[in-house]
Amino acid sequence: MVFIHDKGVLTGSMTSPGSQGGGAVSTRGGAAAKRMKWALELSLGNSRNRGDRQSKEGDVMYPVGYSDKPVQDTSVQEADRNLVEKRCWDVALGPLKQIPMNLFIMYMSGNTISIFPIMMVCMMAWRPIQALMSMSATFKLLESSSQQWLQGLVYLVGNLLGSALAIYKCQSMGLLPTHSSDWLAFIEPPQRMEIMGGGMIM
Amino acid sequence: MACLAVRLAISLSLLFTASAVFEDQVGKFDWRQQFIGKVRFALFDTHSQASKKLLVATDKNVFASLNSRTGDLLWRHLDKTGPDGHVDSLLMYGQDAVVVVGNGRLLRSWETAVGGLKWETVLDTGSFQAAALVGVQDFVKYVAVLKKTAISLHDLSSGGQIWVENLPDSDTVQYQSIYSEGNGLVFVLGLVPNSHVVIVEYKIEDGEIMNKKSIRAAWMSSLESSCAVISSGILLCVDQITQSLYTLPLQSVEQNEMKQIHLQTLDLEVASGFQPVLTSTQPNPAQPPLAEFFLQLSPDHHILLQLEDGLIALLRDFNPSNLVTFATTGEKTVAAVMSPKNETACSINLFSADTGRRHLDTTIIYHLDPNGGKPNMLYVHAFLKKDDSVAYRVMVQTEDHMLTFLQQPGRVVWMREEALADVVTMEMVDLPLTGTQAELEGEFGKKADGLFSMVIKRLSSQIILLQTWLGHLWKLFYDARKPRSSVKNDEITIENLSRDEFNLQKMMVMVTASGKLFGIDSKSGTILWRHYLENIQPNSAFKLMVQRTTAHFPHPPQCTLLIKDKDTGLASLHVFNPIFGKKSHSSVPALPRPILQTILLPIIDQDYAKVLLIIDDQYKVTAFPSTKNILQQLQDTASSIFFYLVDSSQGKLSGFRLRKDLSTELIWEAVIPTEVQKIVAVKGKRANEHVHSQGRVMGDRSVLYKYLNPNLLAVVTESTDTHQERSFVGIFLIDGVTGRIVHEAVQRKAKGPVHFVHSENWVVYVYWNSKFRRNEFSVLELFEGAELYNSTVFSSLDRPRPPQVLQQSYIFPAGITTLEATLTEKGITSRHLLVGLPSGSILSLPKLFLDPRRPEMVSEQTREENLIPYAPEMPIRTEWFINYNQTVSRVRGIHTAPSGLESTCLVVAYGLDIYQTRVFPSKQFDVLKDDYDYVLISSVLFGLFFATMISKRLAEVKLLNRAWR
């Protein structure tokens, strides 16, 4: 919080509004004494600047054990590459790992058409599609890996399997227009070739 | 458990089909009009001066009471149809009306005030001849009924039979009338044609024959038509050949000859070929009749004569005069005479009966309706005014069965169109568009010709709309300034008729058996036009066709009525505009030969009129209209025009094809032997029927395609053997083009009358099962199978595979008088069957219940298909009665027509009454409900809107505040 003293000097900030109010009241009570106290605590800084910034920017004081020079890293190089590899495989296998979970959800949600199963199916279908659309971003992620192409393929296959599963779910829920009955409404009545009339002799 | 599931399924399915009107919807879109038929007897209740009752008995076996001030029905009793309920005679004395019903089968007495039955007596068998009230000493106590062989006397207050006597020599003598004058004797007059008159005197107390005599009268062939009893028991007869009157005192013992009085002595002459008619009056049955009588010499010449001391004096000569009648009030008897005034009006005047002098200020002018018939009956209600002068009201009946009630000095109090009690056929025609609507329609109807001109057109039509709207506003403003009384009500007249938004209001064109045509507004039931066709034979056949609808704006709509005289077979065409009822000036083809049938082709001429083909008895075809354009079109399409004829008397069905020269060739013939069965009815499909779905979706989501053959005919036959064990009903489904029998079904131990509906891919028929004594419904449904043979065109000539036929039958726990199916614009809405019941109710039965695929065992798939499990008994639920308590007596037909709303079907049921309503087979899915809460919805909307505005403002303020912190 920033506030202006009655004498027009910007002093500083406080975190707690209670203390701020108190501070404000006290400054009004004895402005000179307060300023002196502030000045004393943040000794070397400009009274117009913020106290905490001063402590950061003023690189005079370092904490205990701080070293300016970077320490040379020699031993963890190999393990790091393994880690990257592992991480990349995690990314690549992610979609495949979701499949059992999806299967379970599918089984649980049943084939009735109501709001929750529909939401599930939408989510299941949308996620692989989204992943496939952002394929390039994933490839960038996998760039550092040596088995980049294999991982990419696995990722792709996993997502395709996921969307196939979603389609299968749609199919089993009857949402796909695969039956002749789904196209019944579009059949035009056949044209009549003969004109016929008549009746009982009047 | 399974049973429970079945019940649950049924009740669930009922939930979707239940439809009934709510209490506040009564009369909102339905109306009923009640009729009585052609009046045969009409009597005014003269019992008290203030009485408003008019008792009528009609040819429809209806006995009713009308309010003579308004013409409304006070009460109405319907007897059996046919000769069993025929009203033979209507007599009234005081508060009692005595009716003889069913050729002398029953004698009934009715209380006229409320229409309650006082007593009923079953009479002995024998054909009815006459009935008369018999008085003793100024009081009417008995009623005498004369039959062919016997006379019986009944007590008027209880109906108990006092005595019954056989008539002497009843095998040779035709007894025809009864006469009594309150002197303790009843005279029965009989006749041996062209030989002698027989007079038998009975004593009232015990029926003893007091006297019997026969008088020679070789010239007489009928007693009823040529004789009357006048003036203290003198039989007066008239003979056309000898041009003379004959008198005979009934009671005299010595006179054995009839006294002849030549009409020449009175300077009178009967028109040649006219049977003169005598009209006498007996105001009180306990008193002798008056000595004055009318003699009709020619159709428009009546004479008032008086018999005094055996001499006949001429009181007044009415020439010309159409109708005459006597009326009595108190002690005064008057004669009312209707005489033609000019071409369009008749005047009715009162004359004193005993002097023949005219009563002053008693003229009533009756204006003849140019679209009506001539008057043929006059019923006069005379009453005494305070100054003891005679005033009267008169009811005029015309040839077209219309009743007009007139008051002095010629004000029409009410009218009843009784021709509407016998509607033969009807059509519903769309109302025309208003000028502005037509303008807009015209814009869309024309072909697109460039962007710029279309914009101009659109703008101009919008300007016209604006103009009419401003005009409407100006009119409203102008009307508001006028005093309220001078502003006319928004009555529906022919001038302001226009189609409503959803095309729910239509013109009902009704053709009645009397030959009178009516145009009735379907919304209110107001008769907008009427047209009487003269010289229609009583047993004519009518066929009404709409040749041009209102859709072709500058051209007026056109209906054609074919009237065929069944005796000669000759037919005539009446072409008219169904909106205004005016006869069209189009040239009607001459039809010199007897006509067999007509076909309305979908071919239209340059004036958008459909072509009517008329087939004569030599199978030659006449086209109407027959312009060059039409003949050219007919030549081009002749090879695809087929027609069929069904001759019920020979049991022959034959199919013809049109040749280019408008002759025909026989292409198939089927004979159903008349010794075994008789063709009762044939029905094709309705031409204006649309089928939206080409198939049915199965539980496994495959499609069962419907067999939608537009040329399919349903032929119903009944066996000639009516024995209960051997009778049967047959149904044949025949292709009308090729004559191929697609399917035949026989219901054994079944009897007619068969009612059936043929629509889409199904036929529903009802018959009487004589084994189980119940009515049964049977439904036939035809399917092509899982594949369509040819999905683009349908040709009967190329159908290698027969359809699959499914059939199921159900028990219907009520009788049926007529059957029809609902019809909607696009055929998306589910179908209902409208069943007319003998009780006068109309049942709307979902077709869902008449589905041959209803399973006996419920399975997953059938549940998926929403099939109701089979139950033999068809339910009748009271909310399915579309006419709630507005029963339609003797329903003869139901007409259904689509409206502009897909959910709504217009229904007209006609019989003795007419009832119009709308039905919503799948509920009103395309309009908001009547009880839709507009206030709540709009207040919620506005509330939400303002809440959003306010909260938006509040949020802004809060954000600003936060920014300042």
Side-chain angles (χ1 to χ4, degrees):
Chain A
M1 287 287 131
V2 179
F3 60 92
I4 300 163
H5 272 277
D6 41 354
K7 289 203 172 166
V9 183
L10 188 70
T11 44
S13 86
M14 286 188 177
T15 46
S16 150
S19 65
Q20 179 198 347
V25 170
S26 61
T27 36
R28 273 184 207 126
K34 277 277 173 198
R35 205 198 282 177
M36 288 308 288
K37 197 177 175 187
W38 274 82
L40 272 171
E41 273 189 0
L42 308 167
S43 51
L44 287 169
N46 191 347
S47 68
R48 280 172 185 251
N49 281 339
R50 283 173 166 197
D52 46 349
R53 198 177 283 175
Q54 275 173 359
S55 68
K56 249 182 211 169
E57 282 166 9
D59 44 1
V60 187
M61 288 168 72
Y62 296 108
V64 179
Y66 177 80
S67 166
D68 259 346
K69 290 169 188 173
V71 182
Q72 285 292 312
D73 185 14
T74 50
S75 61
V76 288
Q77 203 73 317
E78 191 60 32
D80 191 34
R81 181 165 300 152
N82 281 344
L83 268 177
V84 167
E85 205 86 326
K86 207 180 165 195
R87 179 86 197 100
C88 287
W89 271 116
D90 270 356
V91 169
L93 288 174
L96 276 177
K97 279 181 188 160
Q98 273 182 351
I99 285 176
M101 182 62 183
N102 279 352
L103 275 172
F104 180 70
I105 292 174
M106 264 170 62
Y107 171 71
M108 290 306 283
S109 61
N111 280 344
T112 51
I113 296 185
S114 60
I115 183 82
F116 282 103
I118 291 280
M119 271 163 64
M120 300 273 187
V121 167
C122 282
M123 224 165 63
M124 272 167 60
W126 181 237
R127 237 183 302 166
I129 291 166
Q130 213 174 14
L132 287 174
M133 294 223 288
S134 57
M135 202 64 185
S136 56
T138 322
F139 260 75
K140 216 163 260 173
L141 248 169
L142 300 175
E143 239 167 17
S144 51
S145 165
S146 59
Q147 290 166 306
Q148 183 191 352
W149 292 107
L150 183 65
Q151 282 163 349
L153 193 71
V154 168
Y155 184 76
L156 183 73
V157 167
N159 275 319
L160 285 177
L161 272 177
S163 46
L165 210 62
I167 287 170
Y168 170 73
K169 181 66 183 172
C170 282
Q171 160 78 16
S172 58
M173 280 172 80
L175 294 176
L176 294 186
T178 51
H179 290 92
S180 48
S181 59
D182 299 314
W183 304 96
L184 181 63
F186 300 99
I187 300 176
E188 290 291 316
Q191 202 193 337
R192 208 177 152 170
M193 292 302 279
E194 295 95 8
I195 301 168
M196 191 215 57
M200 283 258 204
I201 288 173
M202 276 175 84
Chain B
M1 193 59 204
C3 176
L4 200 76
V6 167
R7 273 188 206 162
L8 194 75
I10 290 181
S11 53
L12 272 178
S13 61
L14 293 186
L15 263 183
F16 297 114
T17 55
S19 59
V21 285
F22 291 100
E23 198 179 342
D24 58 346
Q25 282 181 312
V26 164
K28 206 166 175 183
F29 46 75
D30 64 320
W31 50 263
R32 177 180 67 164
Q33 287 175 3
Q34 291 186 307
F35 299 97
I36 47 175
K38 180 192 176 189
V39 171
R40 291 181 59 239
F41 305 100
L43 294 172
F44 286 96
D45 183 5
T46 49
H47 177 244
S48 72
Q49 282 285 359
S51 175
K52 291 186 268 188
K53 276 192 293 295
L54 166 64
L55 293 178
V56 286
T58 70
D59 67 339
K60 294 270 172 222
N61 305 349
V62 173
F63 178 50
S65 172
L66 300 177
N67 183 333
S68 65
R69 305 283 152 84
T70 60
D72 296 336
L73 280 175
L74 292 172
W75 46 261
R76 185 177 74 169
H77 292 291
L78 274 68
D79 213 320
K80 287 180 188 168
T81 51
D84 268 2
H86 185 258
V87 180
D88 298 315
S89 178
L90 169 65
L91 306 164
M92 189 158 85
Y93 184 74
Q95 287 273 34
D96 301 339
V98 179
V99 180
V100 185
V101 177
N103 199 11
R105 191 171 53 93
L106 292 169
L107 183 67
R108 288 184 182 141
S109 174
W110 299 90
E111 218 286 326
T112 56
V114 291
L117 183 66
K118 283 180 83 175
W119 50 260
E120 180 184 85
T121 313
V122 180
L123 298 173
D124 295 342
T125 52
S127 71
F128 174 81
Q129 295 296 332
L133 293 170
V134 177
V136 180
Q137 289 153 2
D138 286 357
F139 289 104
V140 178
K141 279 189 182 163
Y142 309 107
V143 55
V145 178
L146 178 70
K147 297 240 182 157
K148 203 172 165 68
T149 56
I151 177 170
S152 59
L153 197 73
H154 299 264
D155 187 59
L156 193 60
S157 55
S158 69
Q161 184 176 297
I162 310 289
W163 49 261
V164 58
E165 290 295 325
N166 281 328
L167 295 163
D169 309 328
S170 60
D171 46 345
T172 53
V173 183
Q174 297 172 10
Y175 291 96
Q176 288 177 342
S177 65
I178 310 176
Y179 166 73
S180 84
E181 55 177 39
N183 57 359
L185 290 172
V186 175
F187 295 88
V188 174
L189 311 178
L191 170 80
V192 178
N194 302 318
S195 169
H196 58 273
V197 176
V198 178
I199 298 161
V200 187
E201 264 178 65
Y202 285 93
K203 208 164 131 189
I204 286 181
E205 283 82 44
D206 51 5
E208 188 192 336
I209 296 180
M210 304 296 290
N211 192 4
K212 177 177 177 293
K213 61 183 174 186
S214 55
I215 283 108
R216 213 160 47 77
W219 48 269
M220 203 190 285
S221 58
S222 168
L223 199 69
E224 263 178 313
S225 62
S226 57
C227 293
V229 180
I230 54 163
S231 172
S232 58
I234 292 169
L235 181 69
L236 179 79
C237 296
V238 62
D239 180 36
Q240 182 215 339
I241 296 152
T242 53
Q243 295 267 347
S244 45
L245 290 167
Y246 295 87
T247 58
L248 175 77
L250 291 174
Q251 275 176 296
S252 77
V253 186
E254 61 273 12
Q255 192 179 340
N256 285 328
E257 276 286 318
M258 288 186 109
K259 190 180 155 200
Q260 189 175 14
I261 304 165
H262 281 284
L263 283 173
Q264 276 174 344
T265 58
L266 298 160
D267 285 342
L268 299 174
E269 196 183 355
V270 178
S272 62
F274 183 77
Q275 170 68 42
V277 180
L278 287 167
T279 312
S280 67
T281 181
Q282 186 175 13
N284 186 349
Q287 302 271 329
L290 298 184
E292 291 79 22
F293 61 96
F294 272 113
L295 174 64
Q296 188 180 7
L297 295 172
S298 75
D300 53 358
H301 188 191
H302 295 80
I303 292 163
L304 183 63
L305 298 168
Q306 189 180 39
L307 181 76
E308 208 165 35
D309 307 328
L311 290 173
I312 287 177
L314 192 149
L315 290 181
R316 195 164 181 129
D317 188 351
F318 300 103
N319 191 14
S321 56
N322 312 68
L323 298 167
V324 293
T325 187
F326 285 108
T328 306
T329 175
E331 294 297 307
K332 290 187 182 174
T333 298
V334 288
V337 178
M338 179 189 253
S339 44
K341 195 164 178 249
N342 54 36
E343 286 289 294
T344 60
C346 291
S347 64
I348 305 162
N349 281 295
L350 278 196
F351 297 88
S352 163
D354 39 349
T355 59
R357 251 188 296 125
R358 196 169 87 89
H359 285 245
L360 290 174
D361 300 330
T362 55
T363 306
I364 289 182
I365 305 291
Y366 172 72
H367 291 279
L368 291 169
D369 185 357
N371 295 319
K374 292 187 195 74
N376 62 358
M377 277 303 255
L378 204 61
Y379 303 98
V380 172
H381 179 213
F383 54 92
L384 287 175
K385 283 203 281 199
K386 277 186 185 131
D387 58 354
D388 222 28
S389 63
V390 182
Y392 71 118
R393 299 187 189 96
V394 64
M395 185 169 82
V396 182
Q397 187 182 6
T398 49
E399 283 170 340
D400 52 344
H401 308 176
M402 187 171 80
L403 300 177
T404 313
F405 195 79
L406 299 143
Q407 211 176 29
Q408 281 170 302
R411 192 172 72 84
V412 175
V413 184
W414 50 262
M415 291 200 294
R416 284 185 74 90
E417 286 286 2
E418 291 306 333
L420 283 171
D422 205 352
V423 175
V424 182
T425 176
M426 67 168 291
E427 280 291 340
M428 286 183 109
V429 184
D430 293 351
L431 291 176
L433 297 162
T434 56
T436 47
Q437 281 174 328
E439 184 77 23
L440 276 183
E441 287 279 315
E443 188 190 332
F444 295 116
K446 279 167 205 153
K447 276 193 184 132
D449 40 8
L451 186 70
F452 185 69
S453 60
M454 286 296 274
V455 169
I456 294 289
K457 247 186 225 169
R458 161 42 57 99
L459 282 179
S460 65
S461 54
Q462 295 284 4
I463 286 168
I464 290 169
L465 276 183
L466 185 74
Q467 234 174 359
T468 49
W469 184 67
L470 286 177
H472 178 70
L473 277 189
W474 172 248
K475 195 170 168 281
L476 276 184
F477 173 69
Y478 199 75
D479 282 348
R481 282 169 51 201
K482 279 188 202 164
R484 187 164 287 243
S485 57
S486 66
V487 181
K488 266 193 204 164
N489 297 349
D490 275 352
E491 266 177 27
I492 298 157
T493 58
I494 258 178
E495 285 75 33
N496 64 15
L497 267 186
S498 67
R499 199 181 298 180
D500 61 336
E501 211 173 343
F502 298 128
N503 200 4
L504 290 166
Q505 189 181 3
K506 294 202 180 199
M507 178 68 84
M508 292 158 52
V509 179
M510 294 190 134
V511 180
T512 62
S514 66
K516 196 164 190 185
L517 312 183
F518 292 91
I520 300 175
D521 169 37
S522 75
K523 199 177 181 184
S524 60
T526 325
I527 296 173
L528 295 174
W529 59 264
R530 54 200 104 202
H531 186 87
Y532 180 56
L533 302 170
E534 279 166 41
N535 306 322
I536 299 288
Q537 297 304 313
N539 64 344
S540 295
F542 296 91
K543 193 168 177 182
L544 182 65
M545 290 147 290
V546 182
Q547 276 199 295
R548 181 165 54 218
T549 60
T550 37
H552 311 285
F553 169 56
H555 302 283
Q558 183 179 319
C559 274
T560 303
L561 178 68
L562 181 95
I563 307 140
K564 182 182 167 180
D565 182 351
K566 276 204 176 147
D567 296 334
T568 61
L570 292 175
S572 61
L573 290 177
H574 175 68
V575 185
F576 61 99
N577 179 335
I579 305 298
F580 302 107
K582 289 197 189 84
K583 199 175 169 177
S584 299
H585 299 293
S586 52
S587 58
V588 175
L591 303 169
R593 299 210 58 86
I595 298 304
L596 296 182
Q597 222 354 301
T598 62
I599 315 169
L600 196 65
L601 297 181
I603 299 170
I604 51 172
D605 68 351
Q606 67 270 37
D607 293 340
Y608 304 101
K610 283 185 188 166
V611 180
L612 186 69
L613 292 187
I614 302 156
I615 302 145
D616 65 19
D617 64 341
Q618 293 187 327
Y619 307 106
K620 284 254 166 37
V621 166
T622 314
F624 169 69
S626 55
T627 56
K628 209 173 232 175
N629 178 330
I630 283 299
L631 293 176
Q632 183 60 43
Q633 282 194 54
L634 277 179
Q635 271 193 10
D636 294 345
T637 52
S639 58
S640 65
I641 296 174
F642 297 83
F643 63 90
Y644 69 96
L645 290 171
V646 180
D647 189 347
S648 175
S649 58
Q650 295 176 27
K652 203 167 74 179
L653 296 108
S654 30
F656 300 85
R657 179 209 285 262
L658 195 68
R659 286 212 196 107
K660 285 197 191 305
D661 57 348
L662 294 189
S663 62
T664 55
E665 61 178 320
L666 183 74
I667 51 172
W668 59 269
E669 198 167 44
V671 177
I672 293 172
T674 45
E675 307 88 65
V676 184
Q677 50 191 339
K678 182 175 177 292
I679 300 172
V680 184
V682 181
K683 268 187 199 169
K685 287 172 188 170
R686 286 180 68 165
N688 56 349
E689 177 185 273
H690 291 275
V691 183
H692 178 72
S693 182
Q694 297 297 305
R696 283 189 58 172
V697 181
M698 302 283 97
D700 59 358
R701 303 181 63 214
S702 61
V703 177
L704 191 58
Y705 289 99
K706 295 173 183 171
Y707 179 75
L708 294 166
N709 184 349
N711 308 321
L712 197 67
L713 307 173
V715 181
V716 170
T717 61
E718 279 175 27
S719 62
T720 44
D721 190 350
T722 52
H723 186 270
Q724 181 194 323
E725 287 291 315
R726 292 185 297 270
S727 67
F728 64 88
V729 164
I731 182 148
F732 297 84
L733 300 180
I734 298 179
D735 189 301
V737 170
T738 59
R740 180 201 293 189
I741 295 178
V742 174
H743 181 70
E744 66 182 298
V746 169
Q747 301 286 336
R748 301 207 176 279
K749 292 170 187 164
K751 249 189 348 188
V754 178
H755 302 280
F756 69 112
V757 175
H758 181 197
S759 175
E760 287 190 28
N761 65 328
W762 46 265
V763 179
V764 171
Y765 57 101
V766 196
Y767 53 87
W768 172 257
N769 186 327
S770 49
K771 189 183 177 192
F772 294 108
R773 293 157 191 271
R774 64 193 182 197
N775 278 299
E776 287 183 3
F777 260 115
S778 195
V779 55
L780 281 169
E781 244 175 76
L782 291 91
F783 292 100
E784 277 204 21
E787 278 168 41
L788 273 179
Y789 173 69
N790 186 344
S791 62
T792 50
V793 290
F794 190 99
S795 169
S796 289
L797 302 167
D798 178 28
R799 283 278 129 179
R801 280 177 302 180
Q804 303 170 8
V805 184
L806 302 174
Q807 181 163 22
Q808 235 172 37
S809 299
Y810 315 88
I811 303 163
F812 190 68
I816 283 178
T817 53
T818 182
L819 195 66
E820 187 54 82
T822 60
L823 192 68
T824 52
E825 179 93 27
K826 297 263 180 269
I828 299 168
T829 310
S830 61
R831 306 292 293 273
H832 276 203
L833 287 173
L834 300 171
V835 187
L837 305 182
S839 63
S841 307
I842 298 163
L843 185 76
S844 178
L845 188 68
K847 170 72 177 56
L848 205 67
F849 282 90
L850 292 156
D851 183 352
R853 302 193 63 254
R854 280 174 69 174
E856 280 178 43
M857 297 296 288
V858 188
S859 72
E860 187 69 36
Q861 292 210 345
T862 59
R863 205 171 295 144
E864 190 91 341
E865 262 189 85
N866 271 333
L867 291 176
I868 310 160
Y870 180 75
E873 183 104 347
M874 187 73 67
I876 293 184
R877 293 169 65 100
T878 43
E879 66 262 28
W880 288 352
F881 291 120
I882 57 170
N883 56 342
Y884 44 106
N885 64 354
Q886 308 273 312
T887 51
V888 190
S889 306
R890 299 191 191 143
V891 188
R892 234 174 319 108
I894 296 174
H895 183 89
T896 53
S899 73
L901 283 175
E902 173 56 32
S903 66
T904 310
C905 169
L906 304 176
V907 177
V908 180
Y910 54 87
L912 188 62
D913 303 340
I914 295 175
Y915 179 74
Q916 191 276 142
T917 189
R918 298 173 195 163
V919 291
F920 319 102
S922 301
K923 293 204 172 171
Q924 281 183 289
F925 57 79
D926 46 6
V927 278
L928 292 179
K929 277 190 186 125
D930 279 349
D931 56 352
Y932 187 77
D933 203 340
Y934 292 94
V935 178
L936 183 76
I937 296 289
S938 47
S939 60
V940 164
L941 271 180
F942 279 113
L944 283 175
F945 177 72
F946 286 118
T948 321
M949 298 287 281
I950 291 165
S951 53
K952 196 181 169 192
R953 176 84 193 125
L954 286 176
E956 271 171 8
V957 169
K958 195 164 185 189
L959 264 180
L960 190 68
N961 285 344
R962 192 185 288 166
W964 277 112
R965 255 169 224 162

